[in-house]
Amino acid sequence: MILLNTFGLDLCTLSLCKSKHTRCCTTWFLTLRKQHVLQNIVPTQQCILQTRDMAWRGCFMKWAKINSLYAQFLSPKSSRLTIRPQQRCGFKKAQRQSETKRGLQEETDAGQKHAVPPLPGEPVPPMPLPPRKPHRLFRPLVFTVGFTGCSFGTAAILQYESVKSRVQMAMEEAKEKKRDKLGEGHNTTYWHNWWDQLSHFQKQVILVMSVVDDWWSGLSEGQKTVTGIIALNTLVLCCWRIPSMHRSLVKYFTSNPASKTRCLPMVLSSFSHYSIIHMLTNMYVLWTFSTSIVSLLGREQFLALYLSGGVISTFVSYVFKTATGRLGPSLGASGAIMTVLAAVCTKIPEAKLGIVLLPMVSFTAGNALKALVALDIAGLLLGWRFFDHAAHLGGALFGVWYIAYGNEMIWRNREPLVRFWHELRNKPNGRPRPGGGGGQV
């Protein structure tokens, strides 16, 4: 209970109304009284009446609220007012933007922050292009040169190891044939007994494996090599369907000169496809030309050419995007496939090619290459953005250059590296292996 004799208020006015309004009113009045005392001002009768009215108003509101609650619970269910709860938030959560889109949006906002709207009648100025930064191409250039050299060097070493393993396998197969001839009857009886002991499920599994083995044996060496590339592209395509992996895929599997990560995506973007149709088209072209390119260059040299073509085509795309200011992400194996296609068409220009949906139309490989190069040049000049025409053109020019000059300059001069690897492999720690002599392979 609060007693305020100084202002002549009776006890029932501020006696105790435990409502929130009375407490606020009392606090306000005490604060007002304190201010008046400090300022040596005697409160007037009007201030006292206002305080009394606020106290009574708080008591009345508390009483009305309690009566309404009682009336709500005591009333029948049919006459009760239904109150629908309001939604917490009427806005959807904004999706998280990738680093590339966020960087481009920040640059656009920064350019438009101080923009002044043009007056009526004045021409609208063009949108400002992103700032060009040629120095950002230095690291991709070094990476392109180094990766290309390492690819062909590794391919030369792998070819050496492959030839050596084939020679050893041929010798072992000859020994096994001699053993099979000696114990042919015993081995046949043993395998018949082993097959009879298997269950029905085990026999079915072995039959399926034999069918797959027969299919694999019927493929050419180029198709076997390309099967691994197709499997990697399919795996990345499935990863694009997982929303939680989009941030990492945009960072490492899309090439963009405006991104912070510029070197590693030059390789990984050649194995990345977001559209199923895009991947099926590229992989069908690669499967079609795989037999020809591997028979011409070999498996190891083909892999080096494919990977180097993907990196070089991406670097050409970087240069074009930086020069024109049209920054944006790119992905796909089109640049590397254009390198393979251009190499085959340059090596065998008289080969006949056709279109799947139009089997009656046929043309030579040389004419097909000229048409593709002309289409990409037109796309660059006219500013088409549906395809990365700079990457296509870069891959095609690299394929033509490699068949014309690169094979003589790079692959024919691999002998010093192979000899060094042979000596390093057969002489560990400066001591020759027992039974491992020198010599050339």
Side-chain angles (χ1 to χ4, degrees):
M1 185 178 294
I2 302 173
L3 184 61
L4 299 175
N5 295 328
T6 307
F7 295 92
L9 298 178
D10 50 348
L11 294 177
C12 64
T13 303
L14 296 175
S15 164
L16 176 61
C17 186
K18 295 184 180 180
S19 66
K20 180 179 180 181
H21 301 280
T22 306
R23 289 197 300 269
C24 294
C25 177
T26 307
T27 306
W28 174 83
F29 183 81
L30 293 177
T31 305
L32 182 63
R33 178 183 179 279
K34 185 177 180 180
Q35 292 178 357
H36 282 291
V37 171
L38 292 177
Q39 296 178 3
N40 297 323
I41 299 175
V42 180
T44 61
Q45 187 67 21
Q46 183 180 1
C47 181
I48 298 173
L49 293 176
Q50 290 179 358
T51 306
R52 182 181 299 175
D53 293 341
M54 293 181 65
W56 277 109
R57 189 180 298 112
C59 296
F60 177 76
M61 294 179 65
K62 182 69 175 181
W63 173 81
K65 184 176 181 180
I66 294 174
N67 288 343
S68 64
L69 292 176
Y70 277 120
Q72 182 179 358
F73 284 106
L74 294 176
S75 60
K77 186 175 181 180
S78 60
S79 63
R80 186 178 301 175
L81 179 63
T82 303
I83 301 176
R84 300 186 181 277
Q86 188 179 2
Q87 294 182 359
R88 289 186 177 181
C89 182
F91 300 95
K92 293 183 179 180
K93 187 176 180 181
Q95 296 182 357
R96 197 170 188 177
Q97 294 182 348
S98 61
E99 293 183 358
T100 304
K101 294 183 179 179
R102 191 185 307 153
L104 293 178
Q105 185 175 1
E106 290 177 356
E107 291 179 0
T108 306
D109 295 342
Q112 296 179 354
K113 186 179 294 184
H114 303 286
V116 180
L119 297 176
E122 293 185 359
V124 180
M127 292 293 294
L129 295 176
R132 303 174 184 177
K133 298 179 180 180
H135 65 276
R136 297 174 66 90
L137 298 176
F138 178 73
R139 291 178 60 185
L141 175 61
V142 175
F143 179 80
T144 301
V145 176
F147 184 84
T148 302
C150 292
S151 297
F152 283 97
T154 306
I157 294 174
L158 289 177
Q159 188 185 50
Y160 164 82
E161 294 292 338
S162 177
V163 171
K164 191 172 183 179
S165 63
R166 288 177 184 177
V167 172
Q168 293 178 354
M169 288 179 61
M171 296 175 63
E172 292 178 357
E173 288 179 358
K175 293 179 180 179
E176 289 180 357
K177 287 182 180 179
K178 293 181 180 180
R179 294 175 184 175
D180 293 340
K181 289 181 180 180
L182 295 176
E184 185 175 357
H186 174 72
N187 290 335
T188 304
T189 305
Y190 171 78
W191 288 115
H192 276 293
N193 295 333
W194 174 80
W195 178 261
D196 294 336
Q197 293 176 359
L198 296 177
S199 62
H200 178 72
F201 177 75
Q202 292 175 342
K203 292 180 180 180
Q204 293 297 325
V205 171
I206 293 175
L207 290 176
V208 172
M209 292 176 63
S210 64
V211 172
V212 174
D213 184 69
D214 293 339
W215 171 80
W216 181 258
S217 301
L219 298 178
S220 63
E221 187 176 0
Q223 292 174 343
K224 292 179 181 178
T225 306
V226 166
T227 302
I229 299 177
I230 296 175
L232 290 176
N233 282 270
T234 305
L235 179 61
V236 177
L237 178 68
C238 295
C239 293
W240 275 109
R241 300 299 178 268
I242 304 176
S244 60
M245 298 186 66
H246 282 181
R247 185 177 180 86
S248 300
L249 291 173
V250 170
K251 183 177 181 180
Y252 294 106
F253 285 84
T254 58
S255 58
N256 189 358
S259 178
K260 294 181 180 179
T261 308
R262 298 184 298 275
C263 295
L264 190 59
M266 298 176 72
V267 184
L268 299 180
S269 62
S270 299
F271 299 91
S272 177
H273 295 83
Y274 185 80
S275 173
I276 299 178
I277 299 177
H278 186 200
M279 194 201 76
L280 291 178
T281 304
N282 285 341
M283 295 301 104
Y284 174 77
V285 175
L286 182 61
W287 180 271
T288 304
F289 286 89
S290 60
T291 303
S292 301
I293 191 65
V294 172
S295 61
L296 292 174
L297 303 179
R299 182 177 57 185
E300 295 80 12
Q301 191 178 1
F302 158 71
L303 290 175
L305 180 68
Y306 182 85
L307 296 176
S308 301
V311 174
I312 292 175
S313 62
T314 305
F315 178 74
V316 175
S317 176
Y318 278 4
V319 174
F320 178 77
K321 290 178 181 178
T322 305
T324 58
R326 300 175 182 176
L327 305 179
S330 300
L331 74 166
S334 303
I337 294 174
M338 283 294 295
T339 302
V340 175
L341 189 147
V344 175
C345 293
T346 304
K347 192 72 174 179
I348 317 174
E350 299 84 8
K352 291 293 183 178
L353 302 179
I355 303 176
V356 180
L357 301 178
L358 300 174
M360 71 291 298
V361 179
S362 62
F363 41 83
T364 61
N367 293 333
L369 179 61
K370 293 176 184 177
L372 291 175
V373 171
L375 181 64
D376 289 325
I377 293 176
L380 291 180
L381 296 178
L382 299 178
W384 297 344
R385 297 189 180 183
F386 189 72
F387 296 109
D388 193 348
H389 296 281
H392 292 183
L393 188 61
L397 293 179
F398 175 67
V400 173
W401 174 85
Y402 184 80
I403 295 299
Y405 307 102
N407 193 14
E408 293 286 340
M409 295 174 57
I410 299 175
W411 195 252
R412 298 291 177 85
N413 296 323
R414 72 186 187 280
E415 184 179 353
L417 176 63
V418 174
R419 185 184 296 112
F420 171 76
W421 176 258
H422 176 74
E423 295 176 356
L424 183 66
R425 191 177 186 276
N426 292 309
K427 295 181 181 180
N429 299 326
R431 295 182 181 179
R433 287 185 178 181
Q440 298 182 359
V441 178

